[in-house]
Amino acid sequence: MFVPDALTITILFIIVSAFIGAFVRGRRRDKCLKDFAGYIITVEDISDKCIWGRLRIETTGLELTYAEKHTDADGHVESTFILYKSEFANMRALVRFHDDLTEKGREKRQEDLKRTYHPGMLRRLRRKAANVFKTIRDSVMEVVNLLLSQAKKRSVAGGVLGAQDKYVSQIKQELIGAAGTSYEPLLERHIGHVVVLEMIKDDKIIEYPGVLKDYTAEFIEIMDVNYRCDDSRPARKADLVVPRRCGIVRHLGE
């Protein structure tokens, strides 16, 4: 009977963790950002710089495709703008101005707002079911950790498992991350209702009333706000995706 040695087992763990990591990362996209994918949006950074284009989301960042190519001051032709995930710390907001949308885009967004605002029983039940699964997921991971801990202490395989701690932890972290958002009870009960978002902008706190559509561990999505990127221009109707380090839901607005 063939018994794999420690080197073979290590190689197998590396291969399995690499495959799981590639599979999970290839499908992991923030759902708030995904809501804006395919729309003309404006990315505003913390220095007040604004970039405008059609949004494409990838696991490693986002790309804006310009409506037309343009030439910069140095004579370079540019047709897209790429923002890597590591640069998200410089991002203040993604803004979807309503008057930038196509007719089809406006219709799609309006349907989305109808489903979001004061959601029906079925939609609320779906969210509750999803939150239950998140809780179960956390409990299952605790059980798995306990079983692995006991296996390391008592079984012959314990020495092998102990030697592969790095790869076991890597697989668990990938699977936990794949489950998506963090459950936030304070926000969950206000989904689909008008709230007031406090946003830090140029060392000032500005309030934006709007409909709370969704949230993730990194972002908050608000619909139907009055927003302007430039104080010299009038506010326009827009939807926002705001990093949670830049904005928080402070009040229920209805």
Side-chain angles (χ1 to χ4, degrees), residues 124-141:
R124 290 199 300 270
L125 286 175
R126 282 202 300 266
R127 286 197 68 95
K128 286 181 179 180
N131 289 330
V132 168
F133 281 118
K134 290 172 192 173
T135 304
I136 292 173
R137 174 204 69 194
D138 294 339
S139 299
V140 168
M141 292 309 300

Side-chain angles (χ1 to χ4, degrees), residues 63-121:
E63 184 174 22
L64 299 176
T65 301
Y66 302 148
E68 296 179 357
K69 296 179 182 179
H70 75 270
T71 304
D72 69 5
D74 297 321
H76 303 143
V77 176
E78 301 172 349
S79 59
T80 70
F81 178 84
I82 297 173
L83 188 70
Y84 295 94
K85 197 169 185 178
S86 59
E87 299 176 299
F88 280 7
N90 297 323
M91 186 167 61
R92 178 186 289 150
L94 277 78
V95 188
R96 182 173 63 187
F97 286 111
H98 298 179
D99 54 11
D100 284 338
L101 301 179
T102 63
E103 184 63 33
K104 184 177 179 180
R106 282 193 290 270
E107 291 175 359
K108 182 179 177 183
R109 182 210 157 272
Q110 189 60 31
E111 286 298 318
D112 202 15
L113 179 61
K114 287 180 181 178
R115 290 193 300 269
T116 299
Y117 187 53
H118 290 174
M121 180 65 70

Side-chain angles (χ1 to χ4, degrees), residues 203-214:
D203 297 324
K204 296 182 293 185
I205 295 178
I206 303 176
E207 294 187 340
Y208 295 99
V211 179
L212 176 62
K213 184 187 178 188
D214 216 334

Side-chain angles (χ1 to χ4, degrees), residues 3-206:
V3 179
D5 58 22
L7 177 60
T8 303
I9 293 173
T10 299
I11 292 172
L12 289 174
F13 265 94
I14 292 173
I15 292 172
V16 170
S17 61
F19 270 108
I20 291 176
F23 178 81
V24 169
R25 285 191 295 271
R27 286 157 178 77
R28 186 192 302 164
R29 292 171 177 82
D30 188 281
K31 64 179 181 177
C32 290
L33 296 181
K34 279 169 59 178
D35 280 349
F36 280 17
Y39 287 97
I40 299 293
I41 64 107
T42 299
V43 174
E44 181 185 12
D45 69 16
I46 55 178
S47 68
D48 293 332
K49 179 181 177 181
C50 292
I51 305 294
W52 180 91
R54 190 172 301 278
L55 181 64
R56 182 168 70 90
I57 301 292
E58 296 295 344
T59 57
T60 53
L62 57 86
E63 184 174 22
L64 299 176
T65 301
Y66 302 148
E68 296 179 357
K69 296 179 182 179
H70 75 270
T71 304
D72 69 5
D74 297 321
H76 303 143
V77 176
E78 301 172 349
S79 59
T80 70
F81 178 84
I82 297 173
L83 188 70
Y84 295 94
K85 197 169 185 178
S86 59
E87 299 176 299
F88 280 7
N90 297 323
M91 186 167 61
R92 178 186 289 150
L94 277 78
V95 188
R96 182 173 63 187
F97 286 111
H98 298 179
D99 54 11
D100 284 338
L101 301 179
T102 63
E103 184 63 33
K104 184 177 179 180
R106 282 193 290 270
E107 291 175 359
K108 182 179 177 183
R109 182 210 157 272
Q110 189 60 31
E111 286 298 318
D112 202 15
L113 179 61
K114 287 180 181 178
R115 290 193 300 269
T116 299
Y117 187 53
H118 290 174
M121 180 65 70
L122 183 59
R123 191 175 179 89
R124 290 199 300 270
L125 286 175
R126 282 202 300 266
R127 286 197 68 95
K128 286 181 179 180
N131 289 330
V132 168
F133 281 118
K134 290 172 192 173
T135 304
I136 292 173
R137 174 204 69 194
D138 294 339
S139 299
V140 168
M141 292 309 300
E142 289 181 11
V143 172
V144 169
N145 287 334
L146 178 61
L147 292 176
L148 286 174
S149 176
Q150 293 301 315
K152 289 176 188 177
K153 293 177 181 178
R154 301 181 182 180
S155 71
V156 176
V160 175
L161 286 173
Q164 313 308 322
D165 264 345
K166 173 183 175 182
Y167 305 107
V168 172
S169 298
Q170 182 177 330
I171 291 171
K172 289 191 295 184
Q173 288 302 316
E174 292 287 359
L175 293 175
I176 290 171
T181 62
S182 298
Y183 173 56
E184 175 53 79
L186 284 172
L187 293 180
E188 191 64 34
R189 64 190 301 266
H190 298 319
I191 291 288
H193 295 274
V194 175
V195 298
V196 178
L197 175 77
E198 284 188 352
M199 187 171 167
I200 302 171
K201 194 170 184 179
D202 299 329
D203 297 324
K204 296 182 293 185
I205 295 178
I206 303 176

